[in-house]
Amino acid sequence: MRARDDGGSRRLRDVLRCNVVDGRYPDGVLPGEGELMLIYGARRATVRDALAMLREEGVVERVQGVGTYAVRERYVAPISELHGTDGADDGLLALRIRPIVLDRRVVPAPDAAAERLGVASGDPVLCLDYVATIAGEPFAVATNYMAFPEADAVTDVPFDSDFYSLLDDSGLELGGSDWVLSAVNADAQIAALLEVAPGTAVMLGEEDIWDASGRIYDFAVCYFRTDRFVFSSTDWAIGGRGGTRPLARSPRVPRLDAS
């Protein structure tokens, strides 16, 4: 266990991580230790400790003769995309997600899924199990259990983008959704699918999707790689609480065109 300090290395780690996520370092290469000491007025031990924390997280790597560099780009998406409410034509996920389907067949509903979907345990539901990739790299594993008759609607529809696009292409109604998010350590199977080391911290999400009447027709369990994918959230309007339309989108959330 690393010796405790006054929090300086932790705070410097947080600042450097933000800079990496925001793409502030040319070619992903971080300043050297000496330059970081000058920029932040930090001791060499503090800088080295902060960089060691980032390496442990998998955010940066150190190469002899090159220096410290960001291991990979993190994709920042508005949290509204978790709910399928962001624009499908220009959203980050809609343009970049490519699913690798692991299983797509009718199975007996497990008890947890049956309870969410309001069916009897063992009743037939569609199981759609897949790895979501961005730029060819896995960032999430999702297992969706879908009740009938909605399951019939998606049976023969191509699944080649994000899950909400599949619902839209199937003509299914999206009344709303909710998520419960937490952090867990990836087991061997999830780690292999996400291409991370077993025990790596990942984000676990459970989602319910319902129609306009409030009837839940889809229940999902998802695991996200947080070194590849992070969410941003904006909900600010004149008038304080009760406002629903943001005045501006954060510049941290990229808006991409189809090109």
Side-chain angles (χ1 to χ4, degrees):
M1 187 180 205
R2 182 181 291 105
R4 297 183 64 182
D5 63 8
D6 61 0
S9 56
R10 168 177 53 81
R11 292 192 293 272
L12 179 57
R13 181 273 316 273
D14 293 343
V15 169
L16 295 177
R17 190 200 299 112
C18 289
N19 289 342
V20 168
V21 172
D22 290 345
R24 293 179 182 172
Y25 299 123
D27 300 320
V29 179
L30 277 67
E33 289 182 1
E35 189 176 352
L36 289 173
M37 291 170 63
L38 290 174
I39 293 172
Y40 296 105
R43 294 178 295 114
R44 186 175 297 275
T46 299
V47 170
R48 287 182 173 176
D49 207 27
L51 293 175
M53 291 182 189
L54 291 177
R55 287 195 295 273
E56 289 177 7
E57 292 181 16
V59 175
V60 302
E61 190 53 84
R62 186 174 181 84
V63 175
Q64 189 69 29
V66 176
T68 302
Y69 67 95
V71 174
R72 53 179 56 87
E73 180 184 0
R74 266 185 172 182
Y75 296 93
V76 182
I79 201 167
S80 56
E81 291 199 354
L82 268 182
H83 297 281
T85 56
D86 207 47
D89 294 334
D90 58 3
L92 176 66
L93 303 188
L95 289 174
R96 297 210 176 188
I97 282 186
R98 294 295 179 269
I100 299 172
V101 176
L102 304 174
D103 199 357
R104 187 175 183 175
R105 60 193 172 95
V106 175
V107 301
D111 52 5
E115 182 177 353
R116 298 291 188 95
L117 298 173
V119 300
S121 181
D123 278 359
V125 295
L126 176 67
C127 174
L128 178 53
D129 196 28
Y130 66 96
V131 177
T133 68
I134 294 181
E137 294 194 45
F139 81 91
V141 176
T143 304
N144 288 75
Y145 297 97
M146 185 175 291
F148 288 89
E150 286 81 5
D152 281 327
V154 306
T155 298
D156 298 319
V157 177
F159 182 33
D160 52 16
S161 183
D162 65 283
F163 186 75
Y164 289 111
S165 293
L166 174 65
L167 298 184
D168 189 55
D169 293 343
S170 304
L172 292 177
E173 182 179 51
L174 176 61
S177 65
D178 63 26
W179 284 85
V180 175
L181 301 174
S182 59
V184 297
N185 295 327
D187 60 30
Q189 291 188 33
I190 293 298
L193 291 172
L194 290 178
E195 298 180 6
V196 298
T200 297
V202 295
M203 182 167 62
L204 168 63
E206 295 183 6
E207 181 190 23
D208 296 329
I209 298 177
W210 56 84
D211 62 18
S213 72
R215 172 182 163 271
I216 296 173
Y217 64 82
D218 186 84
F219 166 65
V221 178
C222 308
Y223 296 86
F224 297 92
R225 273 183 66 163
T226 54
D227 65 329
R228 295 287 291 137
F229 189 73
V230 293
F231 292 107
S232 68
S233 178
T234 302
D235 186 11
W236 179 71
I238 292 175
R241 292 191 178 188
T244 58
R245 187 169 62 87
L247 296 180
R249 180 179 296 277
S250 167
R252 288 167 52 86
V253 182
R255 308 305 296 171
L256 305 179
D257 56 38
S259 62

